[in-house]
Amino acid sequence: MATEETREKIVETALQMFNSRGCRGVTMDDIAQALHMSKRTLYETFANKEELLTECLMLVQERTNERHRKAHSQVDEPLLVAMYILRTNAMFIHKYSRIIEETERYYREIHDRFFRVHTGGLRAMMEHGMEYVRSHNYLRPDADVAVAIDFFCNLIQKQRISEVPNREEYARRINEMCFTYLRGLMTTETLMRYDSLVDRFAEVIQKLDADNE
């Protein structure tokens, strides 16, 4: 029985290989060789590549959730928390775009199962963040939060199917669109507060991203 440390090392290595070379471009033999591990040990830990791939996708989800949790626990400004959650989801979809897209193409059952979890988790985080902002009276009374959440989720998820030459630039534009939409829901007083937080948001990103390295 592999130790938890060995299991984590396998998943981390496989995730990097799947995302750089593609799911179908990596075999279990390749992963064992990269880890200098016997195939027997690898197969005792994960019965097949599909099981390992699923674990890799769940690691992506957990890393996203961990960033959300840290934002809520370490940042005292709800607007900054909401902005960071939007940015985190957009950037993670960008970072792991290859493994996500190839899973959709070649391992549809795994993809659908994962994205039911991911989309549900993303929506729950968005709902929590928007409710947090609304509870502080930062949004206009007529702001349709449900429509806003649909917009954010659909826009972020769209990154994984977009054929664009520069994904990093595309992810940046996704963030800008989300923030522009969010500004449109704010009261005049909140909008002034939002604009005053732009510089601090850069500091929040730097600190939280450093903590998660």
Side-chain angles (χ1 to χ4, degrees):
M1 185 71 175
T3 64
E4 187 61 31
E5 182 180 356
T6 298
R7 184 182 181 89
E8 291 176 357
K9 189 174 181 179
I10 292 171
V11 175
E12 180 62 47
T13 299
L15 175 59
Q16 294 177 10
M17 294 177 71
F18 286 147
N19 205 44
S20 63
R21 294 163 51 182
C23 301
R24 299 231 298 187
V26 177
T27 66
M28 292 289 275
D29 287 358
D30 293 333
I31 296 169
Q33 184 176 3
L35 287 162
H36 305 289
M37 175 185 293
S38 70
K39 289 190 288 184
R40 177 177 178 178
T41 300
L42 180 58
Y43 278 104
E44 283 178 347
T45 310
F46 295 97
N48 50 54
K49 187 166 76 171
E50 288 75 12
E51 183 178 314
L52 178 53
L53 177 58
T54 300
E55 195 76 10
C56 289
L57 291 170
M58 296 311 296
L59 176 60
V60 171
Q61 178 64 53
E62 176 53 32
R63 285 180 173 172
T64 307
N65 291 342
E66 178 61 23
R67 287 177 181 251
H68 294 172
R69 287 192 290 268
K70 285 188 175 182
H72 279 289
S73 65
Q74 297 180 21
V75 181
D76 59 1
E77 169 56 65
L79 277 178
L80 292 178
V81 173
M83 291 162 66
Y84 187 76
I85 288 176
L86 285 173
R87 176 187 178 276
T88 297
N89 281 282
M91 295 310 294
F92 263 68
I93 292 293
H94 158 68
K95 181 177 181 179
Y96 296 107
S97 60
R98 182 165 188 179
I99 187 173
I100 292 170
E101 289 181 356
E102 290 208 4
T103 303
E104 180 178 26
R105 185 176 303 167
Y106 302 119
Y107 302 91
R108 191 63 193 226
E109 182 180 348
I110 295 174
H111 175 274
D112 290 349
R113 185 167 67 249
F114 168 73
F115 268 98
R116 277 197 297 272
V117 173
H118 177 80
T119 303
L122 169 59
R123 182 170 294 276
M125 285 290 184
M126 289 293 179
E127 289 174 349
H128 181 71
M130 292 299 288
E131 182 57 37
Y132 187 43
V133 171
R134 184 166 58 180
S135 69
H136 286 72
N137 299 315
Y138 287 170
L139 303 182
R140 300 193 322 267
D142 63 341
D144 194 325
V145 174
V147 171
I149 292 170
D150 284 342
F151 174 80
F152 294 144
C153 290
N154 291 334
L155 194 60
I156 290 171
Q157 292 285 359
K158 186 179 179 182
Q159 288 187 91
R160 65 187 174 89
I161 59 173
S162 298
E163 297 294 336
V164 292
N166 189 331
R167 283 186 173 276
E168 186 171 354
E169 174 63 17
Y170 186 75
R172 185 186 66 79
R173 291 182 180 181
I174 292 291
N175 280 319
E176 289 180 352
M177 292 173 69
C178 287
F179 294 155
T180 298
Y181 191 105
L182 185 61
R183 283 171 58 93
L185 302 179
M186 296 176 182
T187 64
T188 302
E189 293 78 7
T190 305
L191 190 56
M192 294 173 62
R193 184 176 182 82
Y194 176 95
D195 290 339
S196 72
L197 291 171
V198 172
D199 290 339
R200 187 181 169 197
F201 183 48
E203 296 175 5
V204 168
I205 290 175
Q206 186 176 14
K207 180 181 184 303
L208 290 176
D209 283 359
D211 289 345
N212 282 287
E213 290 298 330

